[in-house]
Amino acid sequence: MKTNKFLFTLLFLVLNAIAFAQNQSAKVAGVVLDETNKPVEGVTVSYQTKSSVTDANGFYEITVPANQKIVLVFTHTSLKKITATLYLSPNENREFHVMMNDNAEQLGEVVVTGNKRRVQGISAIEPETIRRNPSAMPGVESVVVLFGGASKNNELSSGYNVRGGNYDENLVYVNEIEVYRPFLVRSGQQEGLSFTNTDMVQNVDFSAGGFQAKYGDKMSSVLDITYRKPKKFGLTAEGSFLGGSLTAEGISKNKKWTALTGVRYRDNSLFVNSQETQTNYRPTFMDVQTNVTFSPNERWQFSFLGNASQNKYNYQPLTRQTNFGTIDEPIALLIFYEGQEKDRYQTLFGAFKTTFTQNENNNYRLITSVYHTQEQEYFDIYAAYFLGEVDTNIGSETLGEVTYNRGVGTQLNHARNDLDALFVNAEIKGTHQINNKKHQIDWGFKYTRENIRDRIVEWEVIDSAGFHINPPVVDIPNDQPYNPYIGPLVPYQNVRATNFIDINRWSGFAQWSTKTNLGSSEFWVTAGARFHNWMVSGDGISNAKSQTVFSPRAQFALKPDWKRDMVFRFSAGFYHQPPLYRELRDADGAVNPNVKAQQSIHFVLSNDYNFLMNNRKFKLVTEAYYKTMTDVNTYTLENVRIRYRANNDAEAYAYGLDMRLNGEFVPGTESWLSFGYMKTEENQNGRGFIARPTDQRLKFGILFQDYMPNLPNMKLYLNLVYNTGLPGGSPSYADAYTYQSRLRDYRRADVGFSYVLTEKNNERPNSHWLKKFEDLSIGFEIFNLFNNQNAITNTWVRDVYTKNQYGIPNYMTTRVFNVKLTAKL
């Protein structure tokens, strides 16, 4: 009898537990858009007997069971059905946005991570926004710099700095594989193309600080990019005055093989010819990328990512005139050049990735990659300059010309720099879901070998008013023209070095994530740590030491049970940057194998607020941060070339506030406004704090999309940036503490107009020729719309009479027009 009662009680408890679990629910909400990013009204979103219908803004909301797989079905009278499989936790509010078109296919079983990005402090960027954004350097980076914490002052470069860091402090991944920037590039116009091919992109995630331990060892930010896996055959082509691209994709009949290949060509002549320096300029930048996947069954997937690029940069400057000074005292620099520069950058990159899904709770990845770059920088450029006063008398025949020379001089620059670098990586990662997906464990181990062969032969000779100038480090009296100079003639700058270096690195991480409830509020925790060990060896290096750093990190997120949809986040952790080769090499070209890893401690407090305004969805993200840095490897910035001192002799800090408002300011389109305030300073050898080279106090960015109501085929894309001026740098051998002047503010507006011929394809008969295209559009772009004069660095010129050195701005590109044609099948 007792046994029967016990069994009855146990059965009763089990049935109640099952009923309780089945009664637990979650909500899914989102917006349904068509292929032109317009909201779709009347889409039925259903799960079994439950359903919801999108309103005029494409918005829907539906309640579904939690703790089990559910299949949502999206149907519309004129669009193809879409199904998606989701798994939600109890009381979870999941955002799931869908794009439908007349060629849409089933999404299959997917795991939606939009809510994860939100609680992790990761910003997602829509690939279509990246492709449409008008920019002199198109790509993911052109949109990243519109965030409050990121900026750049060179529209021809793909490099960007984040929250006081420099171009070398940002992690970039494509399909979980780290990619690298060129080593020898010194100006933006040499770069040509970003590594990322925007026509191949599926997801873009960006974090400006406080990121998780699973990401690598850099101090500033992480950009995580995923290339898409084709679902059908497609072809995308684009051509303009700046080059063109062609991307092809396909899938085998048995759905096991997919291939995505893109070819790009770039010519920056339009931009370089708009600068003050008149040149003969013949650049060619070209690359080929491919992403191939093979899935023999549900458990295994093999993929290959390959890239081959070649940049040829031939540059022959002719003349330059730069006017500066004041209204009362206008001054001009007039330069006549002889000689040329010939640079070559050849890169080969290949990566294999194997993914084994043991079951829905356990996943393993093996990643191997090889990166090989051969770079050469050859130039001999002779410059004769005149520094003089400008005639400002209206009506004068010489108005605007130099009428009185304050300084006359010549300068000869020579370089024969060669670099050959080979990076080999092998990495294994695992992800495990535990206790009904309440906990997640991520781990990984990585080995990297870096082999660098570098030769530097670079010198500069300066002659002012006919008198040779020695560097200040040469202690020989020189009081020309009063007494003849009898000492040796040596270059003003002279760098000669040959370095054969090997670096072996071991790194790894472990990370734990969970979600729980604090009363009626949702609470997420992610905690983890990284280690990194490295050692430098090579010719002439006998005293190198093995070094190891340990980096614990944690992120917390809280979503209160409020009517207002808010998430609060706090992140803190150690972020080390073990030195790459360029950080080991000082200004004289010598390698210091014992350079320490720079260390930064991040504190980030943020708020993520979703709200409706005029029945349209908006998001306001606010982040306050503070970073303290030790063992700082100070550097100088020349255009985009970074020269480190390689001595870890400084400490630094950065703090600021970033804000971003996203939303449908115009129905059916997403735009955003961003604001950033930041201050960063460094203290070298206890001499006091001065501004770092990237100390950019204020930042405003706008990405605005619109269309004409009476002509919906016409789209508008506007890109506005305002940054306060950066420190202007200092002349060679000068004390940076005595040169703290700033460049002028950076102001730039780029606008693009696109006439979409396929806008009303759903209303056309199948026999219409435009029905063959998913997209066919003609675009017109204006770069630097208001023709602002923006400067990236200073050229320092001597006045032989006053012995002064003038910082003459190196201005960037002026207004440029471009026409492009885009077609997608």
Side-chain angles (χ1 to χ4, degrees):
M1 189 69 176
K2 291 182 179 180
T3 303
N4 291 337
K5 286 184 177 180
F6 173 77
L7 291 176
F8 177 79
T9 303
L10 181 63
L11 180 62
F12 177 80
L13 292 174
V14 170
L15 291 175
N16 274 276
I18 294 174
F20 176 75
Q22 289 178 340
N23 287 332
Q24 288 185 303
S25 63
K27 288 184 179 180
V28 182
V31 177
V32 179
L33 303 174
D34 63 15
E35 56 189 343
T36 63
N37 282 327
K38 286 187 176 182
V40 182
E41 184 179 6
V43 175
T44 300
V45 185
S46 60
Y47 167 71
Q48 294 182 353
T49 59
K50 298 181 179 181
S51 66
S52 174
V53 179
T54 58
D55 59 18
N57 298 311
F59 179 78
Y60 74 93
E61 183 178 80
I62 186 171
T63 301
V64 296
N67 288 331
Q68 61 178 283
K69 286 185 178 180
I70 59 100
V71 178
L72 287 183
V73 181
F74 297 79
T75 56
H76 189 266
T77 55
S78 61
L79 300 173
K80 287 290 185 67
K81 180 178 70 174
I82 287 181
T83 63
T85 302
L86 291 79
Y87 185 98
L88 291 89
S89 303
N91 301 317
E92 182 178 356
N93 293 319
R94 178 72 60 85
E95 290 184 22
F96 184 43
H97 307 298
V98 173
M99 180 173 290
M100 301 182 70
N101 55 54
D102 53 356
N103 293 314
E105 296 184 0
Q106 180 171 318
L107 294 179
E109 292 200 4
V110 297
V111 177
V112 185
T113 59
N115 203 46
K116 288 185 178 180
R117 292 190 182 102
R118 188 182 184 196
V119 299
Q120 293 170 0
I122 294 174
S123 299
I125 307 174
E126 290 296 330
E128 192 62 25
T129 300
I130 298 169
R131 286 188 280 269
R132 301 284 187 183
N133 181 48
S135 174
M137 174 59 73
V140 176
E141 299 84 358
S142 68
V143 178
V144 166
V145 297
L146 294 175
F147 286 82
S151 63
K152 68 176 181 178
N153 281 39
N154 189 333
E155 58 267 19
L156 297 182
S157 171
S158 62
Y160 56 93
N161 55 280
V162 178
R163 294 180 176 173
N166 65 33
Y167 307 135
D168 291 340
E169 296 180 12
N170 305 306
L171 288 162
V172 180
Y173 294 97
V174 175
N175 291 355
E176 293 189 283
I177 303 156
E178 186 174 358
V179 298
Y180 303 91
R181 284 176 49 80
F183 285 84
L184 293 184
V185 64
R186 69 173 66 201
S187 66
Q189 61 199 41
Q190 294 171 331
E191 290 190 35
L193 290 165
S194 163
F195 179 91
T196 308
N197 188 329
T198 56
D199 288 331
M200 301 172 67
V201 168
Q202 175 178 306
N203 294 319
V204 178
D205 294 336
F206 176 70
S207 175
F211 45 89
Q212 299 176 9
K214 68 178 181 180
Y215 295 114
D217 296 294
K218 291 289 181 75
M219 291 205 303
S220 290
S221 73
V222 59
L223 182 62
D224 192 4
I225 300 166
T226 304
Y227 280 175
R228 70 175 182 272
K229 188 177 177 182
K231 301 293 185 182
K232 60 175 182 176
F233 172 78
L235 196 65
T236 303
E238 182 179 291
S240 75
F241 293 155
L242 297 171
S245 64
L246 179 65
T247 305
E249 57 187 285
I251 185 170
S252 63
K253 290 183 178 180
N254 60 8
K255 309 291 186 180
K256 293 184 177 182
W257 288 89
T258 69
L260 180 64
T261 301
V263 180
R264 297 182 295 171
Y265 172 80
R266 180 76 173 176
D267 184 343
N268 278 341
S269 296
L270 277 177
F271 291 109
V272 177
N273 291 335
S274 75
Q275 294 178 310
E276 289 183 316
T277 302
Q278 301 300 309
T279 65
N280 290 325
Y281 180 71
R282 294 291 181 271
T284 57
F285 308 125
M286 186 174 181
D287 83 334
V288 179
Q289 286 192 38
T290 187
N291 187 36
V292 180
T293 65
F294 172 57
S295 304
N297 52 53
E298 293 182 355
R299 289 193 171 188
W300 290 93
Q301 178 176 290
F302 305 91
S303 64
F304 170 75
L305 174 64
N307 175 73
S309 68
Q310 182 180 68
N311 292 3
K312 293 183 179 180
Y313 177 80
N314 298 330
Y315 179 70
Q316 185 180 5
L318 301 175
T319 62
R320 165 184 172 178
Q321 179 172 338
T322 302
N323 297 328
F324 63 104
T326 63
I327 296 177
D328 296 331
E329 190 180 5
I331 305 174
L333 174 69
L334 184 62
I335 305 177
F336 299 92
Y337 294 97
E338 292 183 8
Q340 62 180 336
E341 178 176 354
K342 290 188 175 182
D343 302 332
R344 300 287 185 273
Y345 306 90
Q346 295 181 343
T347 300
L348 294 174
F349 176 83
F352 287 94
K353 180 179 177 180
T354 301
T355 302
F356 172 62
T357 304
Q358 182 180 4
N359 49 50
E360 65 177 5
N361 295 321
N362 297 281
N363 177 277
Y364 303 89
R365 286 97 67 203
L366 175 65
I367 303 170
T368 58
S369 66
V370 177
Y371 171 81
H372 184 215
T373 180
Q374 293 178 307
E375 304 175 15
Q376 71 172 40
E377 187 180 41
Y378 291 179
F379 58 79
D380 288 284
I381 296 179
Y382 172 82
Y385 72 86
F386 300 87
L387 184 66
E389 298 178 2
V390 179
D391 186 358
T392 58
N393 294 322
I394 299 175
S396 172
E397 294 181 357
T398 58
L399 178 65
E401 298 180 5
V402 177
T403 57
Y404 176 76
N405 288 327
R406 289 187 175 188
V408 180
T410 59
Q411 179 178 345
L412 176 61
N413 283 293
H414 167 91
R416 294 293 184 272
N417 299 331
D418 293 278
L419 182 138
D420 189 313
L422 179 67
F423 289 15
V424 179
N425 297 279
E427 181 176 17
I428 185 170
K429 292 182 176 181
T431 299
H432 309 283
Q433 305 280 352
I434 302 173
N435 194 11
N436 201 19
K437 300 183 184 280
K438 290 184 178 180
H439 304 272
Q440 179 172 310
I441 302 293
D442 293 276
W443 58 269
F445 295 98
K446 182 178 181 181
Y447 169 72
T448 302
R449 180 174 178 84
E450 303 168 6
N451 176 263
I452 298 99
R453 297 172 177 267
D454 182 26
R455 184 195 69 167
I456 312 166
V457 180
E458 186 176 320
W459 49 260
E460 177 186 23
V461 175
I462 299 177
D463 181 286
S464 181
F467 305 112
H468 178 79
I469 298 177
N470 281 335
V473 294
V474 177
D475 189 18
I476 297 176
N478 182 2
D479 58 351
Q480 299 178 84
Y482 307 106
N483 292 299
Y485 176 72
I486 58 175
L489 298 179
V490 296
Y492 186 73
Q493 293 189 86
N494 187 16
V495 180
R496 294 175 181 269
T498 300
N499 301 314
F500 291 171
I501 302 297
D502 291 311
I503 307 175
N504 289 288
R505 303 179 187 273
W506 293 91
S507 62
F509 73 91
Q511 178 175 294
W512 164 71
S513 303
T514 188
K515 178 189 174 184
T516 185
N517 291 325
L518 291 179
S520 59
S521 300
E522 298 176 89
F523 186 63
W524 292 263
V525 179
T526 299
R530 296 189 60 83
F531 81 91
H532 193 123
N533 172 271
W534 75 97
M535 185 172 182
V536 181
S537 61
D539 293 354
I541 295 178
S542 58
N543 61 341
K545 300 177 182 178
S546 175
Q547 301 185 60
T548 304
V549 292
F550 182 71
S551 308
R553 305 172 187 174
Q555 296 82 31
F556 306 91
L558 176 69
K559 188 178 188 304
D561 185 19
W562 297 347
K563 290 183 178 180
R564 298 182 184 274
D565 184 6
M566 285 190 175
V567 172
F568 296 91
R569 296 187 302 267
F570 175 73
S571 303
F574 286 76
Y575 295 82
H576 290 93
Q577 181 150 328
L580 290 174
Y581 169 69
R582 191 159 60 176
E583 296 164 77
L584 298 172
R585 194 180 72 182
D586 65 17
D588 295 326
V591 170
N592 178 3
N594 295 316
V595 171
K596 298 179 182 178
Q598 301 181 81
Q599 176 179 286
S600 175
I601 304 177
H602 290 197
F603 301 95
V604 182
L605 180 63
S606 60
N607 171 257
D608 188 310
Y609 175 34
N610 288 340
F611 61 97
L612 292 176
M613 185 167 61
N614 295 329
N615 292 322
R616 296 197 292 269
K617 296 189 67 176
F618 286 85
K619 176 189 287 287
L620 176 64
V621 179
T622 305
E623 291 193 342
Y625 60 90
Y626 178 81
K627 299 194 292 186
T628 177
M629 290 164 270
T630 54
D631 292 324
V632 173
N633 193 346
T634 56
Y635 60 91
T636 58
L637 197 58
E638 177 191 347
N639 202 309
V640 298
R641 182 171 71 162
I642 301 173
R643 282 184 157 179
Y644 292 93
R645 293 185 176 88
N647 54 13
N648 300 110
D649 66 344
E651 59 178 343
Y653 69 84
Y655 65 81
L657 176 71
D658 293 337
M659 301 180 70
R660 187 179 75 255
L661 177 64
N662 295 59
E664 295 186 21
F665 294 92
V666 176
T669 65
E670 183 183 24
S671 303
W672 73 60
L673 311 174
S674 65
F675 163 76
Y677 170 79
M678 187 267 297
K679 182 178 181 180
T680 180
E681 292 184 323
E682 62 189 18
N683 181 0
Q684 299 179 24
N685 289 319
R687 297 180 61 191
F689 283 95
I690 59 172
R692 304 194 79 195
T694 54
D695 181 33
Q696 197 147 48
R697 295 296 173 84
L698 292 177
K699 158 73 179 291
F700 295 92
I702 297 177
L703 177 63
F704 184 72
Q705 302 183 61
D706 197 0
Y707 58 89
M708 299 182 181
N710 297 327
L711 189 62
N713 295 44
M714 181 65 73
K715 313 293 182 180
L716 168 74
Y717 307 94
L718 181 63
N719 183 340
L720 295 172
V721 175
Y722 170 82
N723 300 332
T724 52
L726 289 168
S730 58
S732 299
Y733 302 107
D735 185 356
Y737 275 75
T738 63
Y739 285 85
Q740 287 296 297
S741 61
R742 289 181 177 265
L743 299 169
R744 63 173 60 185
D745 295 349
Y746 183 89
R747 297 164 296 171
R748 186 173 179 88
D750 298 324
V751 63
F753 301 91
S754 180
Y755 186 81
V756 183
L757 299 173
T758 52
E759 176 75 11
K760 297 183 179 180
N761 259 10
N762 58 337
E763 301 176 6
R764 295 187 174 104
N766 292 330
S767 58
H768 198 284
W769 67 275
L770 283 174
K771 291 287 282 188
K772 298 177 182 178
F773 296 90
E774 285 189 29
D775 177 45
L776 182 63
S777 57
I778 301 173
F780 177 67
E781 298 174 319
I782 308 175
F783 303 112
N784 199 357
L785 177 64
F786 302 113
N787 205 25
N788 293 312
Q789 280 192 316
N790 296 312
I792 180 65
T793 52
N794 283 324
T795 295
W796 296 92
V797 176
R798 294 169 175 268
D799 181 344
V800 72
Y801 297 103
T802 65
K803 307 298 183 182
N804 291 329
Q805 293 197 73
Y806 290 92
I808 295 149
N810 294 317
Y811 292 121
M812 299 302 295
T813 59
T814 58
R815 185 186 294 116
V816 172
F817 300 93
N818 184 41
V819 176
K820 68 178 183 180
L821 175 67
T822 303
K824 184 177 182 180
L825 297 173

